[in-house]
Each structure stands twice: as C-alpha cells, then as structure tokens.
C-alpha cells in the first residue's frame, strides 16, 4: 500500500537520508517529527472530530512498515506518541479527550507512554512499581516508570499505577508537574536517539479530568487503544524490507547473491501479505499476532545479518548501514516481546526451531 499524499514519498527519502546521522549523534528527532507533521502523519491516530485524519488499522500498519524501512528510530518514537494518543482517544472520559487531542494533531505537543510496568517490565515485583492513592481532587502517583521514550521532550506521559486495593488506573501526567523527574536517557545498542529512560514520580497530583481509565482490575487488559498488536511486527517487517532491498542492490551486481535475495524477497512479500490481511480482519486463523511477530522478528534478524555478510568487512565498520541494521534488528528481541515469541527465537538460535 502507498499513500496518496504526495508529500509521503519525499518524507521517506528525507528520513532515509538522515537516519545514519540520527543513530550516530543520538539526538532527539525533533526535525523528523516536524517532517512527519508537514506530511500529515501526526494526525493519523487522532479522531476526525478533533482535527485528525484517523486512518484505518490496515493503513496504519502499512504506514508504519514504510516509515520503519526509512528510519526505525523515528518510527519507534511515533509509535509511542500514537500509543498515547490512542489510549486517550479510547477513553470514556470526554474531558481528557477535549483537553488534549486537538493539540496532538501537530508537533507542538508531544505525548508518550510509560506503561511497561503494567504490561511486561517488573511484573514479578510484589510491590507495585507505581503506586496511586485517591484524593478528593483526583489521584496522586508515586514510583518509578522504567521505560519512557522521549520523557525529557514530552508534554504528557500516559501512565498508570496501582491503588492499595489492587485496582489500577491510567491517566495523562503533565510533565511540568514538579514531581515528575525524567532520568538521563539510557545508552542503547540502537535507537539511543529515542531518548528512552526512566522517570521518577514523587507525589504527582493528577486531576480527575486527566483520568483515561479506571480504577479497575488490570487496566491494560480492560481498556481499548494503544499501538496495537501488529505495530511491532510492522516495524520489524519494515527493517527486513529495507535490508532485502539493499541485498537486492548487491545481487544485481553479484550473481552469487541472486538466489538468496529472491528467497528473502519472497519471504518479505508473504509476510507483508499475511500481516496486512490480518490487520484487515480477513486472514486465516493460523496468522495470529504471535505467529506474525515471530516471523517478523526472525526475518528482520536473518535479513540484516545477510546484508552484513554480503558487505563483508566494510559492513562491520561502525556507522555503516549494514552494521546499524543488525543492531536495530536486535531491538525486536526486547521490545514488547511476548514470552512465546522469545522462546521461539531461542529455539531458532539453538537450531531446534519447529516452524
């Protein structure tokens, strides 16, 4: 799928040209967010009644795939922003939607999510990572959000916490509150420009009009919104697609790579068809979110290493596109990676993969 907006191909070219510098300098992609704004991308998940374009789920998957092939860091940041917007848009609280959504159509307001402690990160701890107490005016947050992308650049962080009785809430926290303390971003294997790090919360008061959901049990399972189960697969597929395109360029000059390229190209095409069909809701039952993620992870890892192998020593030099692609592909082993997908990867690494 391609987008009719004539600015979109230009956006992809600009992102591709700048992604190496972004990776090397670890700078926040402020310019890239402005480019997304100019191309109308930032309105993709904002409902039309609030000034957005609210594209369909299949269109969003296709857009993420193309953007990730151009610049994974920028696209990852976009998914965190869109995850916040989708949580807000899915809220039953009209106040939080009316207050925030119109400002999020453009790059003037940046929102992100800090919800890993409610989904995958640190779930084994007996004490909640973020605790919440209810007051007459709203809720007070205390604790530690371990992974927040763009925390130092964010105007709002969509996050949640647990009350003493075990119920949870989700709310939009304004980062100008004196109790919100973003830590220094972590230096990552790749995507350090996403400025991802921890945020400490000290007596952060959140009024009721910023409540997104709750108090309810397991708020993340009971609410709608978020980046969606196909987002990570779409980004991994984009990384694989970019790698296979590079492999194709080399195969046009090296006959020994042609068969390898053709196999990878066929795998990318099949996965793309299955992912888009599933996003449309007309795929077979065998194509689950889990199976698609497993295939996308495997393809991203194998295709980027194939490109590195094809480029030989030159690709092993820091800053080379092949070297960067391998590092970026590793991200999908840790980003919202369900245990069954991680287990499948370990079996594949041990050569016991069963399909």
């Amino acid at each position: 799928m391609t987008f009719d907006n004539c600015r979109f191909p230009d956006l992809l070219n600009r992102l591709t040209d700048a992604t190496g510098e972004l990776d090397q300098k670890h700078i926040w992609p402020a310019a890239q967010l402005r480019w997304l704004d100019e191309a109308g991308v930032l309105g993709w998940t904002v409902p039309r009644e609030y000034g957005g374009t609210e594209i369909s789920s299949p269109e969003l998957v296709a857009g993420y795939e193309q953007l990730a092939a151009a610049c994974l860091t920028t696209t990852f940041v976009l998914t965190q922003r869109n995850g916040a917007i989708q949580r807000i848009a899915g809220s039953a609280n009209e106040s939080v939607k009316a207050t925030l959504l119109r400002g999020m159509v453009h790059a003037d307001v940046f929102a992100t999510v800090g919800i890993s402690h409610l989904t995958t990160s640190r779930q084994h701890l007996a004490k909640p990572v973020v605790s919440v107490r209810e007051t007459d005016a709203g809720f007070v947050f205390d604790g530690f959000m371990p992974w927040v992308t763009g925390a130092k650049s964010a105007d709002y962080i969509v996050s949640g916490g647990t009350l003493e009785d075990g119920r949870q809430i989700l709310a939009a926290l304004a980062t100008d509150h004196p109790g919100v303390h973003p830590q220094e971003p972590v230096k990552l294997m790749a995507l350090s420009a996403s400025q991802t790090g921890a945020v400490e919360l000290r007596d952060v008061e959140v009024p009721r009009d910023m409540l997104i959901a709750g108090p309810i049990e397991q708020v993340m399972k009971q609410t709608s919104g978020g980046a969606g189960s196909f987002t990570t697969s779409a980004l991994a597929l984009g990384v694989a697609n970019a790698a296979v395109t590079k492999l194709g360029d080399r195969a046009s000059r090296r006959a020994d790579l042609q068969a390898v390229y053709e196999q990878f190209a066929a795998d990318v095409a099949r996965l793309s068809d299955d992912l888009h069909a599933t996003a449309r809701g007309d795929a077979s039952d065998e194509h689950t979110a889990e199976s698609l993620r497993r295939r996308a992870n495997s393809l991203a890892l194998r295709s980027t290493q194939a490109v590195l192998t094809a480029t030989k020593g030159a690709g092993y030099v820091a800053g080379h596109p092949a070297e960067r692609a391998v590092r970026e592909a590793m991200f999908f082993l840790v980003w919202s990676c369900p245990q069954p997908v991680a287990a499948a990867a370990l079996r594949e690494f041990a050569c016991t993969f069963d399909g």
Side-chain angles (χ1 to χ4, degrees), residues 227-250:
S229 59
F230 304 122
T231 297
T232 49
S233 295
L235 267 63
L237 179 57
V239 168
N241 207 341
V244 173
T245 298
K246 291 183 177 69
L247 194 61
D249 290 341
R250 290 188 169 270

